[in-house]
Amino acid sequence: MQVSSDRLMGMLADLGQRGALEGGGVCRLALSDTDKAGRDWLVATMRDLGMTVSIDAIGNIWGLRKGRRDGAPIMMGSHIDTVATGGLYDGALGVLSGLEVIAALNAAGAETDLPVAVGAFTNEEGARFAPDMMGSGVYCGALDRDEMLAVRATDGDGVVGEELDRIGYRGSDAPVIPAAYLELHIEQGPVLEQDGLQVGAVTGVQGIHWTEFTVTGQSNHAGTTPMALRRDAGQVAARIALAADAIAADYGPPQVATVGVFELTPGLVNVVPQQARLTVDLRNTDGEVLERATARLIAEAEAAAEAAGCSLTHRPLARFAPVVFDDTLVGKVEAAAQARQLSVKRMPSGAGHDAQMFAPLCPTAMIFIPSENGLSHNINEHSDEGDIMAGAQVLLDLVCDLAGATT
Amino acid sequence: MQVSSDRLMGMLADLGQRGALEGGGVCRLALSDTDKAGRDWLVATMRDLGMTVSIDAIGNIWGLRKGRRDGAPIMMGSHIDTVATGGLYDGALGVLSGLEVIAALNAAGAETDLPVAVGAFTNEEGARFAPDMMGSGVYCGALDRDEMLAVRATDGDGVVGEELDRIGYRGSDAPVIPAAYLELHIEQGPVLEQDGLQVGAVTGVQGIHWTEFTVTGQSNHAGTTPMALRRDAGQVAARIALAADAIAADYGPPQVATVGVFELTPGLVNVVPQQARLTVDLRNTDGEVLERATARLIAEAEAAAEAAGCSLTHRPLARFAPVVFDDTLVGKVEAAAQARQLSVKRMPSGAGHDAQMFAPLCPTAMIFIPSENGLSHNINEHSDEGDIMAGAQVLLDLVCDLAGATT
């Protein structure tokens, strides 16, 4: 059975029109109007493919194609929300390649022993609401539904539950735990491209710790306040940012550290900042090292604040331990790629993915394809059509194997 | 002749209602709706006092009280715009104490040989439009009028000329160069309070260099991009912020350095910042040291950007050399204070003031009164009524002397 590039590339282009940015790229922040437009298109497309569509209380959407017998389905999935300056493929590829698998089964008049499902999970990015992987976390029971429904946007504008009601995607269906979970995703990094490989068989996911720091000092006149009498929240925040960078340098790869948010109040040229807010994103495949990195960062932040006469508060915006995928299923990904004469290697994921929420509940694996220049979360994110179709074919072959397809 | 606390404290309270913030303080950003409300109140009050009101092309407002003969007036003045989190007295005291002097002359039925003027100058703070002291700079010919009319707000929202038209304060009167200029102002620093003094005879103003830096790197995924492959604009900006702090520490007092604006793009938790913008405010009474400090800052910023593979642009938002006031007039301030049994000392100003624009054109001096806890540009800015009235009395005595008042 074969996937069709006309169908899959067409679907990627159609969904890409929802939230398209001038100059390329997509902005479909979770539960925004453009996210609603993408969801509406997705639900209509699932129904066109003959699937039964379900929606749960956190807005996760999944479509089911019946099998010869009932029971736990083989589930494919990912997300359709994006960061503010996102690309066409991050998330969308995993959902739409799932629909392509369904379309290929339909076109071949194939039946499967087990049902086959495709899921799109709410707010995987965490760009508008923290934590990320919110929908799959609630679906798999790792996050509390009511707590997540009460989360306010990081920019203060909107609450998850209210936004779900506003866009009409607060459902009531009960999550279905699958027999296995497969997610096709762009690598979002430079490894496959550098190694000249077509497919990555993902062995697991880095642990992720997001911490928000708020430093409070005193605002004052920039000209008349001697340096010795200042309590400058911005200077403390700058020291925390450099401490995060130093931690990544000291620990070495795969440790990474990113300060993505850095805001001063009142934020005026000639006023000593009274308050500063910044976020630090730390990731490592080794959970113990990651715990040590976060503890060191917090200790250095507290020392910097104390030395400057400022007060400091910090809170975890996200804490995910490293995840290891099912070794047997990872082996099947490798084998399926090799059976199609595709070059493949085992590799960890540098990014968080919905798949990691399923790993504790059922055999789970991911398929990576190369990202041009390793770019993602960037309007210039791109993957070659050949790589996209190769990944989708491996996904189809795996589903046919796992679900027991016959024509 | 005596100033009246009922009149002056009443005027300060009235103007303070324009742009009053909940919890205290004032927000009258230049050319905003609240600035217009303050201007409308000021013009009406000048007319009630029998003054002739003039407005020039940059929106400076001045009222004139006739003297026995025409010619250059003795001018008092300051500004009524504030920072976003300003106090009741910064600027307003200099304008309203001038009106109090006029009211005292009127109440005494006094005549003066020279005309007496009170000026309120546009955008002294520079909080919304750079550079600061814009109105007095244009009034005194130090800044180009048409260039200033074309300045866009630092937050991008509004242009000086269009905002002047919008609030109805683009006038056509020609500036009048005074015979002398006097400005009463709160110290905005801790010195007088620490020394237990009532009056400062200001000898001059620190030089001020504002520089805006824009760092451009590459946005990328926070999890999948190895540290070695990053071009993180935010980390470069943090290094520039610490370099500014180190310069102030190395050079020692009176050198000060402030990073008041620090913004990241796109500003998302899990995206490496593609761009960072920050401002550095450097001040020193020694012009040569200030030039060296700015040169060192720019050199260190360029080195930090190059080391991180980022590009850097920088532009001066303001460049003011230190100013020395008229020694004879400063002596008259001292003498006037001593004649009222007020404790007084000579001191430089740590902040920029409209007076520095007049210093090259005519004998100029300033009178400082203490700021509680040295606080300014802060909603808790406060000065004691006794100190306010002492400063206003010194101002009245000086004007009577300089303008030749007789009852």
Side-chain angles (χ1 to χ4, degrees):
Chain A
M1 235 175 290
Q2 296 281 343
V3 288
S4 152
S5 65
D6 289 355
R7 274 190 314 236
L8 178 50
M9 299 310 290
M11 284 192 286
L12 286 163
D14 284 352
L15 178 57
Q17 286 166 20
R18 278 71 183 177
L21 297 169
E22 288 184 25
V26 187
C27 178
R28 276 194 309 267
L29 291 168
L31 310 186
S32 64
D33 293 346
T34 52
D35 186 28
K36 173 190 171 20
R39 289 165 171 267
D40 293 346
W41 177 89
L42 178 65
V43 168
T45 305
M46 286 176 164
R47 295 206 167 114
D48 292 346
L49 290 167
M51 306 179 85
T52 309
V53 176
S54 302
I55 302 173
D56 69 7
I58 198 78
N60 297 315
I61 300 167
W62 64 98
L64 196 80
R65 183 180 191 267
K66 281 203 176 306
R68 275 191 216 85
R69 55 184 174 87
D70 294 339
I74 302 301
M75 179 176 269
M76 302 167 283
S78 192
H79 60 96
I80 67 166
D81 69 307
T82 73
V83 298
T85 55
L88 275 177
Y89 306 119
D90 178 1
L93 177 62
V95 177
L96 301 189
S97 60
L99 297 186
E100 171 55 25
V101 167
I102 301 299
L105 292 170
N106 291 353
E111 286 196 331
T112 55
D113 190 29
L114 298 177
V116 179
V118 178
F121 301 98
T122 296
N123 184 37
E124 188 273 349
E125 293 291 2
R128 184 180 174 203
F129 300 96
D132 54 359
M133 290 162 282
M134 181 182 281
S136 50
V138 170
Y139 189 96
C140 297
L143 296 172
D144 180 78
R145 184 192 66 193
D146 296 335
E147 262 179 49
M148 294 303 112
L149 288 170
V151 167
R152 178 167 293 280
T154 48
D155 69 359
D157 181 17
V159 173
V160 169
E162 295 165 8
E163 287 292 274
L164 281 167
D165 291 333
R166 186 182 68 81
I167 66 171
Y169 277 91
R170 195 205 287 246
S172 58
D173 295 315
V176 176
I177 303 308
Y181 180 87
L182 292 166
E183 183 166 356
L184 172 62
H185 207 287
I186 58 172
E187 180 197 338
Q188 308 180 278
V191 176
L192 287 173
E193 184 180 58
Q194 276 183 357
D195 296 355
L197 300 172
Q198 295 162 285
V199 174
V202 183
T203 54
V205 181
Q206 283 182 329
I208 302 178
H209 286 191
W210 286 3
T211 307
E212 178 189 65
F213 295 92
T214 301
V215 187
T216 303
Q218 180 175 60
S219 76
N220 230 319
H221 190 290
T224 62
T225 315
M227 301 304 286
L229 297 181
R230 296 186 179 201
R231 290 159 48 203
D232 186 332
Q235 286 292 328
V236 173
R239 284 172 163 74
I240 296 171
L242 293 195
D245 200 51
I247 285 168
D250 293 352
Y251 288 29
Q255 180 65 55
V256 289
T258 305
V259 176
V261 174
F262 192 118
E263 297 169 350
L264 299 183
T265 304
L268 299 170
V269 178
N270 56 347
V271 181
V272 176
Q274 184 260 336
Q275 192 165 80
R277 186 176 77 89
L278 73 159
T279 60
V280 180
D281 173 326
L282 296 174
R283 308 194 191 198
N284 200 309
T285 50
D286 182 325
E288 289 182 11
V289 175
L290 182 57
E291 291 291 346
R292 284 207 305 277
T294 298
R296 171 176 156 181
L297 177 68
I298 290 170
E300 293 187 1
E302 285 169 338
E306 188 176 358
C310 294
S311 64
L312 178 81
T313 63
H314 57 86
R315 62 187 183 113
L317 296 182
R319 289 284 187 273
F320 295 114
V323 173
V324 179
F325 288 148
D326 182 79
D327 190 64
T328 307
L329 195 54
V330 174
K332 285 178 179 285
V333 172
E334 271 187 307
Q338 285 155 350
R340 292 284 180 174
Q341 284 77 48
L342 300 168
S343 55
V344 58
K345 79 172 222 181
R346 291 183 174 231
M347 63 188 292
S349 171
H353 295 291
D354 295 306
Q356 72 196 66
M357 295 299 182
F358 286 86
L361 304 183
C362 64
T364 298
M366 291 186 72
I367 305 160
F368 272 177
I369 61 167
S371 294
E372 188 176 285
N373 302 319
L375 278 187
S376 184
H377 289 188
N378 185 308
I379 62 170
N380 297 317
E381 169 192 290
H382 182 70
S383 290
D384 290 333
E385 178 174 340
D387 293 330
I388 289 169
M389 298 317 298
Q393 186 64 53
V394 170
L395 183 66
L396 172 60
D397 294 347
L398 280 166
V399 168
C400 288
D401 173 14
L402 297 169
T406 52
T407 49
Chain B
M1 233 174 292
Q2 297 281 345
V3 288
S4 152
S5 65
D6 289 352
R7 273 191 313 238
L8 178 49
M9 298 311 288
M11 284 192 287
L12 286 163
D14 285 351
L15 178 56
Q17 286 165 19
R18 279 69 184 178
L21 296 170
E22 287 185 25
V26 187
C27 178
R28 275 195 310 266
L29 291 169
L31 310 185
S32 64
D33 292 346
T34 51
D35 186 27
K36 175 192 173 12
R39 288 164 171 267
D40 292 347
W41 177 89
L42 178 66
V43 168
T45 306
M46 284 176 165
R47 295 206 168 115
D48 291 347
L49 290 167
M51 306 180 85
T52 311
V53 175
S54 301
I55 302 172
D56 69 6
I58 197 79
N60 296 316
I61 301 167
W62 65 97
L64 196 79
R65 183 180 190 267
K66 279 201 175 310
R68 275 190 218 84
R69 53 185 173 86
D70 294 339
I74 303 301
M75 179 176 269
M76 302 166 283
S78 192
H79 61 96
I80 66 166
D81 68 308
T82 73
V83 297
T85 56
L88 274 178
Y89 305 119
D90 177 2
L93 177 61
V95 177
L96 301 190
S97 61
L99 296 186
E100 171 56 26
V101 166
I102 301 298
L105 291 170
N106 291 353
E111 284 195 331
T112 55
D113 190 29
L114 298 178
V116 178
V118 178
F121 300 98
T122 296
N123 184 36
E124 189 272 350
E125 292 292 0
R128 184 180 172 202
F129 300 97
D132 54 357
M133 291 162 282
M134 181 183 280
S136 50
V138 170
Y139 189 96
C140 296
L143 296 172
D144 180 77
R145 185 191 64 193
D146 296 337
E147 263 178 51
M148 294 303 109
L149 288 171
V151 167
R152 179 167 293 282
T154 48
D155 68 1
D157 180 17
V159 173
V160 168
E162 295 165 8
E163 287 291 275
L164 281 167
D165 291 333
R166 187 181 68 81
I167 66 171
Y169 276 90
R170 195 204 287 249
S172 57
D173 295 315
V176 176
I177 302 308
Y181 180 86
L182 293 166
E183 184 166 355
L184 171 61
H185 207 286
I186 58 172
E187 179 198 339
Q188 306 181 278
V191 175
L192 288 174
E193 184 181 56
Q194 277 183 356
D195 297 355
L197 299 173
Q198 296 162 282
V199 174
V202 183
T203 56
V205 181
Q206 281 183 328
I208 302 178
H209 285 191
W210 285 3
T211 307
E212 178 189 68
F213 294 92
T214 302
V215 188
T216 303
Q218 180 176 60
S219 75
N220 229 320
H221 190 290
T224 62
T225 313
M227 301 305 286
L229 296 180
R230 296 186 178 201
R231 290 159 47 205
D232 185 331
Q235 285 293 329
V236 173
R239 284 172 163 74
I240 295 171
L242 293 195
D245 200 52
I247 285 169
D250 293 353
Y251 288 31
Q255 180 65 55
V256 289
T258 305
V259 176
V261 174
F262 192 118
E263 297 170 350
L264 299 183
T265 305
L268 299 171
V269 177
N270 57 346
V271 182
V272 176
Q274 185 260 335
Q275 191 165 80
R277 186 176 76 88
L278 74 159
T279 60
V280 180
D281 174 326
L282 296 176
R283 308 194 191 198
N284 200 310
T285 50
D286 182 325
E288 288 181 11
V289 175
L290 182 57
E291 291 291 345
R292 283 207 305 279
T294 298
R296 171 176 157 181
L297 176 68
I298 289 169
E300 293 186 1
E302 285 169 339
E306 189 177 357
C310 294
S311 64
L312 177 83
T313 62
H314 56 87
R315 63 187 182 111
L317 297 182
R319 289 284 188 273
F320 295 113
V323 174
V324 178
F325 289 148
D326 182 79
D327 191 64
T328 307
L329 196 53
V330 174
K332 285 178 179 284
V333 173
E334 273 186 308
Q338 285 154 351
R340 292 284 181 175
Q341 283 76 47
L342 300 168
S343 55
V344 58
K345 79 174 224 178
R346 290 185 174 229
M347 62 188 292
S349 170
H353 294 292
D354 294 308
Q356 72 196 66
M357 295 299 181
F358 286 86
L361 304 183
C362 65
T364 298
M366 290 185 72
I367 305 160
F368 272 175
I369 60 167
S371 293
E372 187 176 286
N373 302 320
L375 278 187
S376 184
H377 290 186
N378 184 307
I379 61 170
N380 298 317
E381 170 191 289
H382 181 71
S383 290
D384 290 333
E385 179 173 338
D387 294 329
I388 291 169
M389 298 316 299
Q393 187 63 53
V394 170
L395 182 67
L396 172 60
D397 294 348
L398 280 166
V399 168
C400 288
D401 173 15
L402 297 170
T406 52
T407 50

